[in-house]
Amino acid sequence: MTTRVPRMNEAESRAWLALVGTSQLLPAALDAQLQADSGITHFEFMALSALNTAPELTLRTSDLAVRTYATLPRLSKVVSRMEARGLVERVPCPGDARASNIRLTRDGRKELLLALPGHLSLVRAEVLGRLSEGQLEALAEALEPVLEALADDPRFPWARGASRRAESGAATA
Amino acid sequence: MTTRVPRMNEAESRAWLALVGTSQLLPAALDAQLQADSGITHFEFMALSALNTAPELTLRTSDLAVRTYATLPRLSKVVSRMEARGLVERVPCPGDARASNIRLTRDGRKELLLALPGHLSLVRAEVLGRLSEGQLEALAEALEPVLEALADDPRFPWARGASRRAESGAATA
DNA sequence: TAGCGTTACTTGCCACGGCAACCAAGTACC
DNA sequence: GGTACTTGGTTGCCGTGGCAAGTAACGCTA
């Protein structure tokens, strides 16, 4: 039952190629800049950022995983590495001994703030700075539903809930 | 000389988060579907597609690398794996004995055509199908300059020339 | 309070990609 | 024509991520 799937038309093809292309190049570019200038990966940057905006600079491991689009194993390993470098620390979660909270250390916060300008500058130079106000709006309008679709597709359980559903923050109880 | 970089405003932030999110989830989703249904990665799919639209089903190794946004080492290894599975073959390049051409085999073409409907169907379900004609247009208009900027940035030499410059095809001379 | 299923991670093993080093063929210079 | 430089591609080693299996704690039922 090979259901007939129509080919892409011109507009679809352009949009798709551009999207796939950027999905390929952008992460590599972000990694390269951050790695070179601050010695952290873009993924680590995202994790540190998420912690930085969390109450008490602390998040449950699985919460952080959702916020960074990461699988649990991946996050676990990255946290171990960052912990070894003193950027974050694992603190036992009061009220649930299986879980652990991840806390941004003072050093981690410093590193993050140090990395921020360079990162932001790259993002402006390559992306935001090239788009008009209207284009920014259109980009968000176009990609947000896509993001949500990906996050909610049962075929991709690792993304589950990436469309903000849990606003829990750190579990302190 | 920490040049002051202004923070993101609301529109910028939305656009950026959506873009980064999709760049994170989309590649993984494409891999998962193709891997599950056809036993190939999305990268392999792109490579096979590029070969399929090339004259003689053949491209210079470095040409293929550019078209797939890959570094040469990466492509070399992927080609070796695909060659082992009989999807492509390396043929010596007449006129330049250092170079080699990569050719899509009959089996490779068959696999590609077999994988196409499922892939296209996912792309429609998650992305294209969720956007209006106007949004497709806007998305392309927004991302094409970004793509070009990334490709032309001397900091990211691996992307060099990803903005179509060489239309050479296979070197037959 | 004993037992069973579930949740919240963590770890081991493997595949893949990056970089740097390498090799071989072409090109330039004299 | 020989020596240096460049180009095209491959290989080795290492870091990172995925999946599946493991472990520990929780919680429900009886």
Side-chain angles (χ1 to χ4, degrees):
Chain A
M1 50 151 275
T2 35
T3 337
R4 178 118 173 53
V5 178
R7 297 189 41 152
M8 288 189 200
N9 62 36
E10 173 72 12
E12 290 177 325
S13 178
R14 275 183 63 204
W16 178 244
L17 290 180
L19 182 57
V20 167
T22 50
S23 309
Q24 198 84 4
L25 294 187
L26 188 55
L30 296 172
D31 268 338
Q33 182 272 319
L34 281 170
Q35 198 65 259
D37 297 352
S38 312
I40 61 177
T41 65
H42 179 241
F43 180 81
E44 290 170 337
F45 178 88
M46 287 197 302
L48 295 176
S49 297
L51 290 174
N52 190 42
T53 58
E56 305 282 336
L57 304 181
T58 302
L59 283 174
R60 272 284 272 277
T61 304
S62 37
D63 259 0
L64 184 55
V66 167
R67 283 173 161 69
T68 52
Y69 308 108
T71 60
L72 224 36
R74 176 181 187 184
L75 184 64
S76 178
K77 291 169 187 175
V78 172
V79 166
S80 297
R81 296 194 282 262
M82 290 198 296
E83 194 177 24
R85 284 185 282 154
L87 303 180
V88 301
E89 54 187 352
R90 281 186 236 247
V91 305
C93 177
D96 189 341
R98 307 167 286 181
S100 76
N101 284 339
I102 318 240
R103 188 165 191 300
L104 185 60
T105 64
R106 188 159 291 277
D107 277 10
R109 192 172 145 83
K110 186 154 46 173
E111 289 292 320
L112 174 63
L113 297 181
L114 229 57
L116 195 52
H119 173 67
L120 204 43
S121 153
L122 179 76
V123 171
R124 288 201 180 288
E126 309 285 342
V127 185
L128 300 181
R130 305 187 175 271
L131 303 176
S132 69
E133 187 72 17
Q135 285 184 308
L136 286 175
E137 195 66 38
L139 192 58
E141 289 295 328
L143 291 185
E144 278 166 0
V146 170
L147 189 54
E148 192 157 347
L150 289 170
D152 291 345
D153 192 316
R155 270 185 293 187
F156 316 128
W158 24 266
R160 180 60 4 88
S163 50
R164 304 288 141 252
R165 205 173 307 134
E167 282 302 338
S168 39
T172 43
Chain B
M1 52 149 272
T2 35
T3 337
R4 177 118 173 55
V5 178
R7 295 189 43 150
M8 289 190 200
N9 62 36
E10 173 73 10
E12 289 177 326
S13 177
R14 276 184 63 204
W16 178 244
L17 289 180
L19 182 57
V20 167
T22 51
S23 309
Q24 198 85 1
L25 293 186
L26 189 55
L30 296 172
D31 268 339
Q33 181 272 319
L34 280 169
Q35 198 66 259
D37 297 353
S38 312
I40 61 176
T41 65
H42 178 241
F43 179 81
E44 290 170 338
F45 178 88
M46 285 197 303
L48 295 175
S49 297
L51 290 174
N52 190 42
T53 57
E56 305 282 335
L57 305 179
T58 301
L59 283 174
R60 272 285 271 276
T61 304
S62 36
D63 260 358
L64 184 55
V66 167
R67 283 174 162 69
T68 52
Y69 308 107
T71 61
L72 225 36
R74 176 181 187 184
L75 183 64
S76 178
K77 290 167 188 175
V78 173
V79 165
S80 296
R81 295 193 284 262
M82 291 199 293
E83 193 177 26
R85 285 184 283 155
L87 302 180
V88 300
E89 54 186 353
R90 281 186 235 246
V91 306
C93 177
D96 189 339
R98 308 170 284 183
S100 78
N101 284 338
I102 319 250
R103 189 166 190 297
L104 184 60
T105 64
R106 189 158 291 277
D107 276 11
R109 193 172 144 84
K110 186 154 46 173
E111 289 293 318
L112 174 63
L113 297 180
L114 228 57
L116 195 51
H119 173 66
L120 205 42
S121 152
L122 178 76
V123 172
R124 288 200 180 290
E126 309 285 342
V127 185
L128 301 181
R130 304 187 175 271
L131 303 176
S132 71
E133 186 73 18
Q135 285 184 307
L136 288 174
E137 195 66 38
L139 192 58
E141 289 295 328
L143 292 185
E144 278 165 0
V146 170
L147 190 53
E148 192 156 347
L150 289 170
D152 290 346
D153 192 316
R155 270 184 294 187
F156 316 128
W158 25 267
R160 178 63 2 90
S163 50
R164 301 291 140 250
R165 206 173 306 135
E167 282 302 337
S168 41
T172 45

